[in-house]
Amino acid sequence: MTAILVAAGAFLMTLIGGFVAQRTGDRRHLVLGFAAGLMLGVVAFDLLPEALHAAPDELHGVPQALLMFAAGFLSIHIVERAVAIHRGHEGEYAAHTHGHPHTHGGREGVGLAAACALVGHSLMDGFAIGAAFQAGGTVGTVVAIAVVAHDFADGFNTYTITRMYGNNRRRALTLLGADALAPVTGAAITLLFTIPEHLLGLYLGFFAGFLLYLATSDILPEAHSPHPSRTTLLCTLVAVGFMWLVIGLAD
């Protein structure tokens, strides 16, 4: 039950992260720069190392976790390109018919998919807390501290990404609530059964590729396009350093 109580702390930190993201106002470019740095730090210092540890077996000379990493990156790229092509065809049709292109919510869907993936990651965070406490109180405490701090970034990113892709505030808050509940749910799951380590590693690799694409192809360009400032770059660097510090404490 200690794991459940710690997961409740992660619940609160996730909500705080989302609240901070809401209150940024005209400093949106700084928020996006910071969010991208958090995501890069999570991928480099947390997700990929854990994925390689859990799924180290190789397929044609490459670790399966890295193959899933590439698959995650390419999957979201294909989805975004398909949405762009679809919109382009709609625009051409509208030009020929003197009408207006109809939006089917493609970008909103990408934002929802990204936020749902973050919810899935938070679920795994809760699972990690429960599994760590099964291994021992000391291990559980160290992992819990890292996860609770890390869930601030998850809440921050969930709200920011959902809104960035055109979803309304209510939808963003709904997903933020789901992200906050996910660690508690994940910790509760560990009271029932455990997820095979290999499958967990494959999932983490896929999710790492997914996040890296969003950070580098969408969020960073969006952060710098209206405000190509050194302050935005500094926010990104600070966020990467913050994640290095948080994840390093867990080790």
Side-chain angles (χ1 to χ4, degrees):
M1 294 305 295
T2 303
I4 302 295
L5 293 175
V6 172
F11 168 87
L12 292 175
M13 286 300 290
T14 303
L15 292 181
I16 291 171
F19 178 80
V20 170
Q22 282 186 74
R23 298 294 177 178
T24 52
D26 60 355
R27 299 181 183 274
R28 180 171 177 270
H29 60 292
L30 300 180
V31 172
L32 293 176
F34 192 79
L38 291 176
M39 293 165 73
L40 289 171
V42 168
V43 169
F45 310 139
D46 184 19
L47 295 180
L48 277 181
E50 287 294 328
L52 287 168
H53 175 76
D57 295 341
E58 294 186 353
L59 184 62
H60 199 59
V62 178
Q64 293 178 13
L66 291 184
L67 290 173
M68 291 301 292
F69 170 74
F73 188 97
L74 292 173
S75 294
I76 186 63
H77 175 63
I78 290 169
V79 169
E80 284 214 323
R81 289 304 90 204
V83 169
I85 291 170
H86 180 65
R87 285 182 169 181
H89 289 165
E90 283 182 337
E92 291 173 7
Y93 177 80
H96 286 300
T97 59
H98 304 288
H100 298 283
H102 181 67
T103 299
H104 290 283
R107 280 185 63 81
E108 290 90 339
V110 172
L112 290 176
C116 287
L118 284 166
V119 172
H121 182 224
S122 291
L123 187 71
M124 294 302 167
D125 280 348
F127 184 83
I129 292 174
F133 274 102
Q134 288 179 9
T138 302
V139 175
T141 300
V142 173
V143 171
I145 291 171
V147 168
V148 168
H150 174 248
D151 277 352
F152 172 86
D154 276 355
F156 189 94
N157 288 339
T158 297
Y159 186 88
T160 300
I161 289 173
T162 307
R163 293 287 284 151
M164 176 183 147
Y165 281 90
N167 292 282
N168 60 37
R169 184 171 178 269
R170 175 183 291 182
R171 189 173 292 173
L173 290 174
T174 299
L175 284 164
L176 176 62
D179 192 44
L181 288 171
V184 181
T185 305
I189 287 174
T190 62
L191 301 177
L192 305 175
F193 58 87
T194 59
I195 299 174
E197 186 179 24
H198 182 73
L199 291 180
L200 180 60
L202 295 179
Y203 164 77
L204 291 177
F206 185 89
F207 182 52
F210 193 97
L211 276 192
L212 184 66
Y213 182 89
L214 292 180
T216 57
S217 299
D218 282 350
I219 296 181
L220 276 178
E222 181 76 12
H224 287 282
S225 59
H227 299 277
S229 67
R230 294 178 180 177
T231 308
T232 305
L233 177 59
L234 180 62
C235 284
T236 302
L237 295 175
V238 168
V240 172
F242 172 74
M243 290 311 302
W244 183 15
L245 177 63
V246 167
I247 294 167
L249 289 175
D251 296 331

